Amino acid sequence: MRKLFFISMLFLISVSVSAKTKQPLYKDKNAPTEKRINDLLKRMTLEEKVLQTNQWTYGKNANANNIEASKKAVRPEIGSLIYRSISPIYRNEIMKKAMEESRLGIPILMGFDVIHGYRTVYPIPLAQACSWNRDLVSAACAVAAKESRLSGVDWTFSPMIDVARDARWGRVSEGYGEDTYANSEFCVASVKGYQGKNLSDQTSIAACLKHYVGYSLSEGGRDYHYSDVSPQTLWETFMPPYEAGVKAGVATLMSGFNDMSGIPASANPYTLTEILKKRWKHDGFVVSDWASVEQQINQGFAKDKKQATYNAFMAGVEMDMVDNNYLETLQQLVEEKKIPMKSIDEAVRRILRIKFRLGLFDQPYVMELPEKERYYKPQYMEVAAKMAEESYVLLKNKNNTLPLSKNFKQIALIGPMVHNKVDMMGSWEAQGVTDVVETIYQGFEKEYNGSAVLNYAKGCDFEGEDESGIEEAIKVAEKSDIIIACIGEKKDWSGENASRSTIALPAIQEKLIAALKKTGKPLVLVFSSGRPIELVRLEPNADAILAIWQPGIAGGTPLAGILSGRLNPSGKLAITFPLTTGQIPTYYNMRQSARPKQGKYQDISTEPLYWFGHGLSYTSYSYGKVTLSATKITKTEKLIAEVEVTNTGAMDGKEIALWYISDPVASITRPMKELKYFEKKELKAGEKTIFRFEIDPMRDLSFPDSDGKRRLEVGDFYLTIYGQKVKFELL
Ligand code: NOJ
């Protein structure tokens, strides 16, 4: 017996020690990752494994008084921390604790919400989508990744790819708008940007798709609320962006807060295991949203913490964010044989896999560069400014009010946004510094550089009843040639837990605009917001309207550049602007009703004010006739659609071709049209180009059933692009 024990011990030692280096195999950077994980798992106690499945939050700042106490509180074996400091030194200190004070030296995964930039804060995701520029989205995320990694952050909780059609929900600002395909494309672009070529590069961070899944359909647009998502809607609208992100190699996903049709998203075995792990073969891990494991108790899905842990863990959530549910109850559940050890091993394996891929075992520490070598590099600022420029959407331009006439020598800049920095940032400013924000006023100063006089008045605040500033605003307007009215939302009116019952701006801002209109001066409305705004009372008072969303730190110059005519606006809406809040939900790809001519609103027009895809330019584009390579194709053939587009105006510009498909009759009814491809191209004045869309029947003409299986059905289809509708047939 003793001999047998001796032999098996010898075997154990021989499998786990690297022959060349004599160090444990899991520390051998040349060994294959899965072998390293096997070796490490064999060495870990149950308690050590459970600690890997937990995430704590840590380090508000690097203040000396804070550091020691909070460092002491962190268990060196903890799986992950939400790392809130910007100091690489601080990160290295805490990492040293993990590497040297824990038995096995497993690095801690440092996560942080880097949503639209880390220090170089760029426009919110909804704005990014309006740029329709995949490369720019990738470039912006790559900037964020570099700044983050060098500051000690290895993992971002981004992108949010919850298709959002209810603008009352504050988190519309964090996603890529109302369309499933657009969310899928920008999801892939951002994952590529964050994760780079190789996760272990010191310029890459792990991405996290969130909030899996159906979170944006919360009732009444109220955050955290119940979302009733039919299986058909789940597959048609919400799952494709996640599937695209998984295919693009995303490291992690975050499970949502929402109770989805009776099963909380953080305890849903169908979405988390059946689909994500088994069907899509995702091999990274899922982190819960903040305390969403424990919140099953509020939702009536678990009677206590233990049951909540059981539900979430067994459904496929490997890491518990912040609420200590797993820490307190997972070990006991294993000891009671309610959760098998192999499930624990599988969960820990997934977490370790990402740590290995990030190279954390081999290079746990980051370079300790001074701030000036980490942030605001000229090329980072250029990306932020470019993104702002391309995300701005010109919604209205009556009689070519814009660009501003060169004869205007007195420009009135009026409104609470003119000198505002804080609200330009958006709801997730990460580690952005408000002082650095370039204001609208500063942008104009630079642009005009004394060639026009800038007359300023605040006019009113964002909200409240104080009208005392309006009189001065009128005086300023009266002595000017044109009014640029800069109004909008405060940044904390959108984002998490920031639902609004109306998407109209507070009455005081509408009053200001109505008063300015009475001066008879041409009026350009510039508004900043984290959602579509109800413009029904503002639009008639404005000669031109520009949506600038929340542009981040570098939005002033591009704005002034667009208004002056140095730059040509090119953004198009990635979300529909309802006429009034009461029209919600209104989105472009609705299904046809039983009585298309009826079912209208009695009191208002049923048309939204600005449809998805709307956006004007200072130049004009003419579209030739769309040609198809065939009028009939089989299921395995491709169909090539082409259209020649000419920039017929006097200014260089960028045109975005949005290609839609309609399937008028199917075994499951289809939306009236669906975006299937987009492309943005630069066109000099007078230049022509061909926009081309290669239709792949399985990808572009099929649709999912209520379990996600794709159906490709023969029959007629229509291809639409800017008013042209061409028929073809699938045989
Ligand atoms: C809650 C939010 O819903 C989620 O998006 C975020 O990543 C986490 N908190 C972490 O801060």
Side-chain angles (χ1 to χ4, degrees), residues 383-401:
V383 168
K386 193 92 195 127
M387 180 57 93
E389 176 196 329
E390 295 204 16
S391 72
Y392 294 164
V393 187
L394 182 61
L395 296 172
K396 177 177 180 181
N397 196 14
K398 197 172 92 191
N399 303 328
N400 296 327
T401 305

Side-chain angles (χ1 to χ4, degrees), residues 113 157 171 210-211 254 257 289-290 321 496:
D113 286 290
F157 307 122
R171 304 197 83 167
K210 70 187 191 187
H211 307 82
M254 184 185 292
F257 286 123
D289 201 343
W290 190 286
M321 186 184 279
E496 189 182 344

Side-chain angles (χ1 to χ4, degrees), residues 238-404:
F238 295 112
M239 292 297 251
Y242 287 95
E243 187 172 7
V246 169
K247 272 199 192 134
V250 77
T252 68
L253 287 87
M254 184 185 292
S255 59
F257 286 123
N258 53 310
D259 172 351
M260 186 175 73
S261 307
I263 314 284
S266 290
N268 189 322
Y270 176 70
T271 52
L272 293 163
T273 294
E274 227 11 74
I275 303 305
L276 179 64
K277 299 183 212 299
K278 294 194 180 153
R279 198 181 292 177
W280 294 346
K281 312 238 175 309
H282 183 244
D283 69 357
F285 71 90
V286 176
V287 62
S288 74
D289 201 343
W290 190 286
S292 67
V293 173
E294 189 168 356
Q295 286 158 10
Q296 288 171 67
I297 301 171
N298 298 339
Q299 289 166 321
F301 199 65
K303 68 174 187 306
D304 55 19
K305 281 189 147 196
K306 200 163 154 191
Q307 193 183 359
T309 294
Y310 180 86
N311 293 345
F313 188 83
M314 292 310 280
V317 174
E318 283 87 12
M319 188 180 278
D320 178 6
M321 186 184 279
V322 168
D323 62 17
N324 275 345
N325 239 65
Y326 284 10
L327 197 62
E328 289 166 25
T329 56
L330 197 51
Q331 180 153 352
Q332 202 187 344
L333 283 160
V334 178
E335 284 160 358
E336 289 169 1
K337 305 227 168 340
K338 293 194 174 113
I339 290 184
M341 193 63 178
K342 73 171 193 333
S343 305
I344 301 286
D345 283 349
E346 176 55 20
V348 177
R349 170 182 296 281
R350 287 169 174 272
I351 294 166
L352 293 174
R353 191 177 277 141
I354 298 306
K355 294 189 179 188
F356 276 111
R357 285 188 186 153
L358 279 160
L360 294 179
F361 279 87
D362 310 320
Q363 199 175 341
Y365 304 109
V366 291
M367 282 186 279
E368 295 180 356
L369 298 174
E371 283 189 33
K372 66 174 187 328
E373 288 178 40
R374 285 183 268 148
Y375 307 139
Y376 307 134
K377 297 210 168 150
Q379 64 271 32
Y380 299 175
M381 296 300 285
E382 207 179 295
V383 168
K386 193 92 195 127
M387 180 57 93
E389 176 196 329
E390 295 204 16
S391 72
Y392 294 164
V393 187
L394 182 61
L395 296 172
K396 177 177 180 181
N397 196 14
K398 197 172 92 191
N399 303 328
N400 296 327
T401 305
L402 290 175
L404 299 178

